[in-house]
Amino acid sequence: MKICVFCSANEHIAQEYFQAAAGLGHWIGENGHTLVYGGVNQGLMEAVAKAVSDSGGRVIGVVPMIVERSGRTSSYVDIEMPCDNLTDRKQLMMDQSDVFIALPGGIGTLDEVFTVAASATIGYHHKPVVLYNVGGFWSPLIHTLDDLQQRGMVRGDWRQHIKLADSIDEIDQLTGNL
């Protein structure tokens, strides 16, 4: 399975997020899956790629040219897919991946999660997004999504497209049927 991971490229964040990224990466590699991600050599992005690589998995980096020119491409990338910009990057990641997992992240991660989920809601694909709720990181977003649902701003149930997991075991269960 090709698993796309969205996450922070920041270095100065809680250590528990790095531990979760490494754990997820080891699970991906040990189970023979392929990581698809943004290809950056910083933050959680580097942590998950290193763990996949160390566990014998394959790493596909979808790298915008601006990242490549700045020398921020990870050395753990086995296959590099260059792209022009972030819009291209998201489309390539959607095309390449079977499932999406969001570790803690910021604006870019939110953009990626909602691009994939919105595409699913109108029928472009049927691939789930899993919010890996490390230390309750995604709880405020879950509350916001529930509020939007309650106010009638979301057609259907947002949980049809965005799944929740508090552990690797839950991720394994959610992705086991794909």
Side-chain angles (χ1 to χ4, degrees):
M1 179 169 34
K2 288 183 178 176
I3 299 173
C4 184
V5 174
F6 302 135
C7 59
S8 176
N10 290 335
E11 295 288 337
H12 304 290
I13 55 178
Q15 193 60 35
E16 74 178 310
Y17 303 148
F18 285 96
Q19 293 166 350
L24 179 62
H26 287 296
W27 174 81
I28 290 169
E30 289 166 0
N31 285 283
H33 302 308
T34 297
L35 170 66
V36 178
Y37 84 123
V40 173
N41 65 359
Q42 297 171 302
L44 302 183
M45 293 176 88
E46 182 77 339
V48 73
K50 179 182 184 317
V52 170
S53 183
D54 288 351
S55 298
R58 189 169 69 158
V59 177
I60 298 173
V62 184
V63 184
M65 286 187 292
I66 194 168
V67 170
E68 188 172 2
R69 284 193 300 265
S70 68
R72 293 182 291 147
T73 303
S74 175
S75 62
Y76 297 107
V77 171
D78 297 310
I79 299 169
E80 183 177 336
M81 296 182 72
C83 58
D84 291 329
N85 55 53
L86 296 178
T87 300
D88 292 343
R89 179 197 237 178
K90 289 182 291 187
Q91 187 62 55
L92 286 167
M93 287 200 255
M94 274 197 290
D95 293 344
Q96 285 292 313
S97 303
D98 301 307
V99 66
F100 306 86
I101 299 173
L103 284 162
I107 292 170
T109 302
L110 287 170
D111 177 43
E112 292 162 336
V113 165
F114 285 117
T115 295
V116 173
S119 295
T121 65
I122 57 176
Y124 283 108
H125 64 81
H126 300 287
K127 303 172 186 181
V129 177
V130 178
L131 298 178
Y132 186 4
N133 198 23
V134 179
F137 182 85
W138 293 114
S139 295
L141 178 63
I142 294 163
H143 175 77
T144 298
L145 289 168
D146 284 340
D147 185 57
L148 290 170
Q149 181 89 44
Q150 186 177 35
R151 294 173 187 264
M153 297 296 170
V154 178
R155 278 189 306 274
D157 181 359
W158 65 265
R159 285 179 172 84
Q160 292 175 317
H161 308 289
I162 300 174
K163 309 297 182 187
L164 308 173
D166 291 322
S167 67
I168 296 291
D169 287 341
E170 289 180 17
I171 289 171
D172 190 51
Q173 290 171 4
L174 288 169
T175 60
N177 297 328
L178 300 176

